[in-house]
């Protein structure tokens, strides 16, 4: 913003307003901001498979070389993506599905409407047991989960079929 002053050559009466201390502390130059896909929700008509395929390329899998991408559409219509991130301490890695769920929650959405997972494998790869439980936490039992390969094979199943006998909060109730 500008205020009256005489310090800009060729501009009469205007000069940039100096930033306050608080503005300087929170100022991040444009070149240092994160890409939009990492910081904002996107209301998208893009198929989930396209989103999962693109994020799969960003997976960090130097040990297994098994890259996985996941895309979730929330009930609000926003698309959230995640990829697997390995760690040399092998069990400390994160799955693509868990990353997409974390991105959904971080953005403020809380319910899953649809899931798509893609991996380079001969047959569609289902989520691990932990991710099945995570998906069931935020999705209704009739939500469709699409499992895809990079060769074009796909399989669709519901959350109920993916995780029969799901553990829910009701199991902790005492009658």
């Amino acid at each position: 913003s500008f205020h009256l002053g005489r310090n800009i050559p060729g501009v009469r009466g205007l000069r940039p307003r100096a930033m306050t201390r608080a503005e300087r502390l929170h100022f991040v130059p444009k070149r240092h901001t994160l890409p939009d896909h990492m910081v904002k929700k996107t209301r998208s008509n893009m198929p989930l498979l396209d989103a999962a395929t693109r994020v799969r390329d960003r997976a960090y899998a130097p040990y297994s070389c098994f890259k996985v991408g996941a895309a979730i559409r929330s009930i609000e219509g926003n698309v959230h993506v995640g990829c697997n991130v390995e760690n040399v301490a092998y069990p400390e890695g994160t799955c693509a599905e868990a990353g997409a769920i974390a991105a959904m929650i971080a953005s403020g959405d809380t319910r899953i409407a649809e899931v798509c997972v893609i991996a380079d494998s001969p047959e569609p790869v289902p989520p691990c047991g932990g991710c099945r439980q995570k998906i069931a936490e935020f999705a209704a039992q009739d939500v469709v989960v699409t499992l895809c390969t990079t060769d074009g094979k796909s399989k669709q199943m519901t959350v109920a079929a993916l995780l029969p006998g799901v553990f829910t909060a009701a199991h902790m109730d005492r009658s």
Side-chain angles (χ1 to χ4, degrees):
S1 68
F2 293 88
H3 63 84
L4 292 177
R6 297 180 229 190
N7 294 345
I8 300 176
V11 178
R12 297 192 56 159
L14 293 177
R15 69 175 176 170
R17 179 182 61 79
M19 282 197 280
T20 66
R21 181 175 186 279
E23 289 171 328
R24 282 192 308 274
L25 289 174
H26 294 94
F27 177 73
V28 177
K30 183 68 174 163
R31 69 183 192 285
H32 293 293
T33 59
L34 293 172
D36 286 346
H37 72 274
M38 294 178 72
V39 295
K40 74 174 188 177
K41 299 184 289 185
T42 56
R43 189 168 295 280
S44 174
N45 295 325
M46 152 184 70
L48 287 183
L49 178 56
D50 291 346
T53 300
R54 281 204 311 268
V55 76
R56 181 189 161 276
D57 291 335
R58 295 190 183 114
Y60 179 74
Y63 309 106
S64 71
C65 298
F66 188 70
K67 294 183 173 190
V68 180
I72 291 174
R73 187 179 323 278
S74 65
I75 61 171
E76 292 82 8
N78 300 310
V79 174
H80 308 279
V81 296
C83 59
N84 58 319
V85 179
E86 293 180 350
N87 188 291
V88 71
Y90 216 64
E92 296 304 315
T94 56
C95 298
E97 301 89 339
I101 291 169
M104 177 188 74
I105 296 300
S107 76
D109 293 348
T110 58
R111 300 297 299 162
I112 296 172
E114 186 180 1
V115 180
C116 181
V117 180
I118 186 168
D120 184 13
S121 59
E123 295 297 321
V125 177
C128 72
C131 285
R132 293 177 193 211
Q133 184 66 46
K134 288 176 181 83
I135 291 168
E137 179 78 15
F138 299 102
Q141 292 289 289
D142 62 346
V143 165
V144 174
V145 179
T146 304
L147 310 171
C148 302
T149 70
T150 55
D151 295 331
K153 291 182 182 178
S154 67
K155 179 179 182 178
Q156 287 191 325
M157 50 196 331
T158 63
V159 171
L162 193 62
L163 185 62
V166 63
F167 180 79
T168 67
H171 288 102
M172 296 185 291
D173 289 344
R174 291 204 92 27
S175 298

